[in-house]
Every structure is written in structure tokens, then in C-alpha cells.
Amino acid sequence: MNSTWIVGLDGSDGSVSALRWAVDLAVQRGERVTPIAAWHVPLPIWLMSGRRAVDVDRAGIRAGVAFHAEEAVRGLDDATCVDEPQVLEGHPASILVELAGPESPLVVGRRGISDVKHRLLGSVSQYLVTHATGPVVVVPDDWTTSPLRRIVVGFDGSEYAAAGLRWALEIAPTDAEIEIVVGIDVIPWLGPEEVVERHPDAIAHARERIDAVADEVDPDRRATRSFVVQGPRHALGEAMHDADLVVVGPRGVGGLARALLGSVTGWLLHEAPCPIAVVPVAD
């Protein structure tokens, strides 16, 4: 896969962290990074101006957005793989979703800043991971960029989990460790030891099913596999403490291997200490 990484910039610390993360990976892979600084005038401002465009300093807003984008690029140690920032008018969520795709992964900061000039993330990040047709990586504001050494993939045997594993295998450096984490939650109100004792056949069946799906994506077993008799949130919480990236799909499946994403996705996006990649199923 030869990708161009799309990075959403809004002048916040989070977007700068996102840019550094994308550039570091693009340099390793010989790929390009395209920064996008999108801006719009929120509806309340239009209403207060009587809907008269002349009352809104559009040129000033655009110039400020461009300045912050260029400043972020100038702050990079190596910007040789970075294209000139594009400053586009429109709601950031819509613009970024339109530009991103399977071969144009989108990287954004976890939170943006909320004023007229810069409105990128927060609720927008949730929109991106549920509407983008390609992978979306959400980087914590205070993340210190480092090489990808350990990638954790949340896996429940669904087609969404398979897509996440496939993408992780594609972008992982050859020396990186990839770990598939499976949370098998048969009966949530029972402890793991009691579940293993009472329902060994159910656990074995769930493991066989998930192994079969993982083998289709990763027949050489490049990734190690960890099966945990716990809910997915608990399983991932323990596995990701020293991870450089966690990869998941936008939703999971029900049954013995309970839904990995949905509510868990929101939790990861807001609480995970490392970057989170949400990978949709290709159309």
C-alpha cells in the first residue's frame, strides 16, 4: 500500500502531535503527508452579522488558519515528505471525510480548539471515525512521537476486526510486534476462573471461530494472539498500556465474543494513552 496521509490541522497541540505522528511513519514508509487546514464560520456568527458576509473577516480568518498550519510544518525536524498545507473553507468534518479514503488515511488530534478560526475535533473526531471510508488515526494531545514497536489489534472475529488486522499488518514496520487481543466475555457477571470452569466448550468454540478468521487475514501468524476471558474494554485496557498504536474496527459482533466496538470505540478515543486507529471495511 502506497499511501498519502491526510492530517487535519487546526492550530491545537493535538493537531501538531497528529502531524508529527503521520510524518514519522510516512518517512519510514517513503510516503507523503498532506496537511489540511479547514475552517468555517459557525452559524451563530452568521446570524449575529445579519447574514452579511462583509461583517465577517473571512480573509483574516483564512490567513490565521494558514499561518498556524505553516507554523506546524516549520516545527518539524524533517518536512521533506510534507506537501504544502491546503487551506480550505468548509466544515472540517465534511472536508476531511471527503478527502480521506482507503489509500489516504486520516490523522487528527484528539481534541481541537473551539473558536471561529479553528474548529476541528472533539465531537468531530467521532464523526470522522464513523463516516470516513478509510482508516482514521486519533492521536492524544501530549503524545511523544516514537517508532512503532508494538501494535495492539482489538479482534472479535468480525469483518471489521479483520479489516483492522489487515491494515495493521500493512503499515507495521518489519521489526514491530503485533498482538491480537481477543476479549471473550461469555457471562459478564461471572469471574474469569468461574467462566473457564463452567463453560470450557463455549470458550473453545469462540476461540476456534476467531482463530479461523484471523488465519484468513494472517495465515503466517505474523501477529501473536492473546485470548482473555474478560470484556473487550478490560482486555484492551491491560494490553495497550505500553502500545504505540491500538487498531480497531468501527463496530463488532454480538454473541460469545461480544461487540468490541461501538461504545468501546468512544472509550478508546477519549481515554487511550496512545494513538487509536479505527479501520472501516472497504466497500
Side-chain angles (χ1 to χ4, degrees):
M1 180 179 67
N2 189 14
S3 300
T4 296
W5 297 79
I6 306 294
V7 179
L9 291 180
D10 68 351
S12 68
D13 292 341
S15 68
V16 173
S17 294
L19 179 62
R20 292 184 182 278
W21 188 92
V23 168
D24 186 69
L25 188 59
V27 167
Q28 296 179 46
R29 294 171 54 78
E31 296 174 335
R32 304 293 302 174
V33 173
T34 300
I36 302 295
W39 63 277
H40 76 297
V41 179
L43 179 61
I45 301 300
W46 281 109
L47 294 177
M48 286 187 293
S49 67
R51 298 183 181 178
R52 292 173 297 173
V54 68
D55 291 338
V56 179
D57 184 8
R58 302 166 68 85
I61 293 174
R62 188 186 189 285
V65 171
F67 171 79
H68 285 292
E70 292 164 1
E71 188 176 52
V73 174
R74 284 195 298 269
L76 297 170
D77 294 330
D78 182 358
T80 55
C81 70
V82 182
D83 298 329
E84 183 177 350
Q86 296 184 31
V87 181
L88 305 175
E89 181 177 2
H91 195 283
S94 300
I95 287 178
L96 291 173
V97 165
E98 183 178 347
L99 292 174
E103 295 184 1
S104 301
L106 176 60
V107 186
V108 293
R110 177 173 290 170
R111 282 180 290 271
I113 52 181
S114 302
D115 61 19
V116 178
K117 296 181 182 179
H118 312 292
R119 297 174 59 89
L120 180 57
L121 287 181
S123 61
V124 176
S125 61
Q126 293 280 359
Y127 180 88
L128 296 176
V129 301
T130 54
H131 289 80
T133 59
V136 177
V137 182
V138 180
V139 181
D141 299 354
D142 57 353
W143 180 252
T144 301
T145 300
S146 59
L148 286 179
R149 300 300 185 197
R150 183 167 181 268
I151 301 173
V152 171
V153 181
F155 200 83
D156 65 358
S158 68
E159 60 180 343
Y160 305 100
L165 175 57
R166 188 174 296 109
W167 186 76
L169 291 167
E170 289 175 349
I171 64 121
T174 56
D175 59 347
E177 172 192 355
I178 305 175
E179 180 183 5
I180 297 173
V181 175
V182 182
I184 302 177
D185 196 6
V186 179
I187 302 179
W189 56 87
L190 294 180
E193 296 80 6
E194 193 171 0
V195 171
V196 171
E197 181 180 350
R198 292 188 181 186
H199 304 278
D201 292 341
I203 293 173
H205 176 73
R207 179 164 183 161
E208 289 174 3
R209 179 183 66 81
I210 292 172
D211 258 336
V213 177
D215 282 341
E216 291 180 3
V217 179
D218 182 26
D220 298 329
R221 299 212 168 194
R222 162 80 167 84
T224 60
R225 302 176 187 182
S226 298
F227 289 81
V228 183
V229 185
Q230 294 173 327
R233 181 179 296 195
H234 193 171
L236 284 171
E238 292 189 350
M240 70 181 179
H241 71 277
D242 60 348
D244 300 304
L245 177 67
V246 174
V247 181
V248 290
R251 58 182 66 88
V253 297
L256 295 178
R258 295 179 65 200
L260 179 62
L261 289 182
S263 63
V264 177
T265 302
W267 168 71
L268 286 170
L269 292 174
H270 288 93
E271 303 297 336
C274 64
I276 301 296
V278 181
V279 182
V281 175
D283 293 333

